[in-house]
Amino acid sequence: METITLQYDATNPALKGLIAALLKFDGISKVRATKKKSGLDEAIDDFKHGRTTKCRDFDDYLAKIND
């Protein structure tokens, strides 16, 4: 099965109707779209979930990354 990614204006009723009509055909299914996070968004997510390394100073940082 092939995959096509579409970007469209979801506020346009004609486009929403067209997408809904396409999804009624056998063999066409909706695939969940994922938006790739930017580097900053990933860093904020890491911080919120505690995926950080705490260092006292730069020497401590170097010791932790060289282990």
Side-chain angles (χ1 to χ4, degrees):
M1 181 176 269
E2 298 293 323
T3 302
I4 297 173
T5 304
L6 298 173
Q7 185 174 359
Y8 64 97
D9 180 10
T11 62
N12 185 324
L15 290 175
K16 285 177 76 173
L18 178 63
I19 299 296
L22 284 173
L23 291 173
K24 290 182 181 179
F25 285 100
D26 288 336
I28 295 180
S29 61
K30 187 174 184 179
V31 177
R32 184 183 194 113
T34 57
K35 183 178 178 184
K36 184 173 175 161
K37 291 184 177 181
S38 70
L40 178 61
D41 290 333
E42 288 180 15
I44 291 170
D45 192 46
D46 287 343
F47 178 76
K48 285 181 180 178
H49 291 95
R51 297 184 294 255
T52 60
T53 302
K54 294 172 180 58
C55 304
R56 292 184 305 273
D57 53 27
F58 189 68
D59 292 329
D60 187 31
Y61 166 76
L62 292 176
K64 288 182 179 182
I65 65 167
N66 290 325
D67 286 340

